[in-house]
Amino acid sequence: MAWACRLGLLLALLLPVVSASTPGTVVRLNKAALSYVSEIGKAPLQRALQVTVPHFLDWSGEVLQPTRIRILNVHVPRLHLKFIAGFGVRLLAAANFTFKVFRATEPLELTLPVELLADTRVTQSSIRTPVVSISTCSSFSGHANEFDGSNSTSHALLVLLQKHIKAVLSNKVKGLNPVGPESQIRYSMVSVPTVTSDYISLEVNAVLFLLGKPIILPTDATPFVLPRHVGTEGSMATVGLSQHLFDSALLLLQKSGALNLDITGQLRSDDNLLNTSALGWLIPEVARQFPEPMPVVLKVRLGTTPVAVLHTNSAALRLQPFVEVLAAASNSAFQSLFSLDVVVNLSLQLSVSKVKLQGTTSVLGDVQLTVASSNVGFIDTDQVRALMGTVFEKPLLDHLNALLAMGIALPGVVNLQYVAPEIFVYEGYVVISSELFYQS
């Protein structure tokens, strides 16, 4: 049964396991991924085939002798996986067994070639998780031969030994168990997986984790459909990320308050412009109310959800923060000087690190300012804009890039990393084409 479970888990490597997946995501595993699993799967399959063989009852002598049989070695020279359109995945493997038969007279070593065939079906469970099950599984054995090629053992005994070993292997194969939601698969599927002769595609809706906490979001009313020919041809995995994914991630950051920040300066620093003296040069009323330099704080609050803009070969963010400018009064309390409605357009550069989608931003064009309220009279926004470009943009970018560097976990298998990923931005969605690397 141990062999059965391990072989089932080997086949389950074909499906992504989402440690922290996202809404509006399509995972497509291509033929190249099957070729990779075929290579890395040989060693674990060899270990899984090291099963225990029950004693053989030897009737050849005058007395019935229970004879111990042990597998010395299993070599898998060939493992092949291919997609079966509309069904799942077929496994074909060739294995060469070396057995030791502990006879009373003298030990005997036998070799036995075995062909394995298994068809796996990928379906959707009642709780909307993918289930990988073995629909058919069988083994075909060749003729057993003595390891040294001497053929000194009687043909009748070899036939009996071969029947015994074949029966054991056959029972082990029939004991294969489906790999269901109780194993490593932890995400919700929108529908039954699509299997073609070239790939298997899964549409995923799952919990998006924010700072380690799962948040359930409403699903997009418009299903995300990943076009057939996108990304890099021949890559192992193709992951499509919809506009809804980016909108949802930004919504969570905004609602949690993670995008808010307070910008302060060092009052006694020579290059500090966040003080009432610097503002007084631009706004006379500030100089009148604060004859002595006092610290100024910019309270940046995102009351409006940032917007992701995805166009072909271009990704951008649009932020509309509300900025309140406060100064320290003589009694150590802060009083509001004025407030601004701000619009910031940012370019967004996406990258993948191991299993996370990360981003960095930079300002596009000029920051747009509108005075929302003022307790210091008339404000010339053109003059204030120059100051804001100095004291506002860099702290905002540093804060935002630190958040985006935390990343969003992409669909992945345990111990499997994205290697040499390429990112493509299309109209309304992003595609990641990547090779895969498995670390055991």
Side-chain angles (χ1 to χ4, degrees), residues 310-379:
L310 302 176
H311 296 306
T312 301
N313 300 323
S314 172
L317 295 177
R318 184 180 178 88
L319 274 63
Q320 295 178 268
F322 177 81
V323 179
E324 187 176 13
V325 182
L326 303 102
S330 56
N331 59 359
S332 298
F334 279 85
Q335 71 179 61
S336 177
L337 302 180
F338 58 93
S339 60
L340 302 169
D341 289 322
V342 182
V343 177
V344 186
N345 292 306
L346 304 163
S347 66
L348 176 62
Q349 295 81 42
L350 298 170
S351 61
V352 174
S353 176
K354 295 184 179 178
V355 293
K356 286 189 174 183
L357 177 69
Q358 299 173 322
T360 56
T361 62
S362 57
V363 176
L364 283 174
D366 294 331
V367 175
Q368 302 172 38
L369 303 178
T370 303
V371 177
S373 64
S374 175
N375 296 317
V376 290
F378 174 76
I379 296 174

Side-chain angles (χ1 to χ4, degrees), residues 215-267:
I215 308 291
I216 298 178
L217 297 168
T219 57
D220 193 356
T222 305
F224 171 52
V225 178
L226 183 65
R228 174 66 183 91
H229 298 289
V230 290
T232 303
E233 184 178 357
S235 63
M236 292 186 188
T238 304
V239 181
L241 308 174
S242 70
Q243 176 80 51
H244 179 60
L245 158 66
F246 292 91
D247 292 343
S248 299
L250 292 171
L251 172 65
L252 290 177
L253 288 173
Q254 183 257 322
K255 291 296 185 184
S256 69
L259 294 172
N260 299 335
L261 74 153
D262 292 342
I263 302 174
T264 61
Q266 298 296 324
L267 182 60

Side-chain angles (χ1 to χ4, degrees), residues 117-339:
L117 184 149
D119 286 342
T120 66
R121 188 178 185 89
V122 185
T123 56
Q124 186 181 25
S125 73
S126 59
I127 57 173
R128 304 183 71 185
T129 57
V131 177
V132 182
S133 59
I134 311 298
S135 61
T136 60
C137 195
S138 56
S139 64
F140 306 92
S141 302
H143 295 290
N145 296 295
E146 292 186 49
F147 185 75
D148 58 7
S150 61
N151 296 321
S152 59
T153 306
S154 70
H155 177 71
L157 179 57
L158 281 178
V159 170
L160 291 174
L161 283 170
Q162 182 167 309
K163 285 183 177 180
H164 176 71
I165 293 170
K166 283 184 178 180
V168 171
L169 293 179
S170 177
N171 288 333
K172 293 294 183 181
V173 171
K174 290 178 181 177
L176 284 167
N177 287 336
V179 179
E182 69 277 7
S183 60
Q184 75 267 46
I185 300 176
R186 294 291 185 271
Y187 60 85
S188 172
M189 295 166 53
V190 176
S191 59
V192 175
T194 300
V195 183
T196 73
S197 58
D198 296 319
Y199 62 83
I200 182 170
S201 181
L202 298 97
E203 298 179 7
V204 178
N205 270 335
V207 175
L208 179 66
F209 282 75
L210 175 65
L211 304 178
K213 296 181 179 180
I215 308 291
I216 298 178
L217 297 168
T219 57
D220 193 356
T222 305
F224 171 52
V225 178
L226 183 65
R228 174 66 183 91
H229 298 289
V230 290
T232 303
E233 184 178 357
S235 63
M236 292 186 188
T238 304
V239 181
L241 308 174
S242 70
Q243 176 80 51
H244 179 60
L245 158 66
F246 292 91
D247 292 343
S248 299
L250 292 171
L251 172 65
L252 290 177
L253 288 173
Q254 183 257 322
K255 291 296 185 184
S256 69
L259 294 172
N260 299 335
L261 74 153
D262 292 342
I263 302 174
T264 61
Q266 298 296 324
L267 182 60
R268 301 188 184 280
S269 173
D270 292 336
D271 59 355
N272 174 38
L273 297 178
L274 278 177
N275 59 67
T276 54
S277 293
L279 278 179
W281 285 99
L282 306 176
I283 307 171
E285 181 62 21
V286 173
R288 190 190 68 79
Q289 293 185 22
F290 297 89
E292 296 295 326
M294 298 298 288
V296 170
V297 175
L298 305 182
K299 295 183 71 69
V300 183
R301 299 294 181 263
L302 269 293
T304 303
T305 304
V307 177
V309 182
L310 302 176
H311 296 306
T312 301
N313 300 323
S314 172
L317 295 177
R318 184 180 178 88
L319 274 63
Q320 295 178 268
F322 177 81
V323 179
E324 187 176 13
V325 182
L326 303 102
S330 56
N331 59 359
S332 298
F334 279 85
Q335 71 179 61
S336 177
L337 302 180
F338 58 93
S339 60

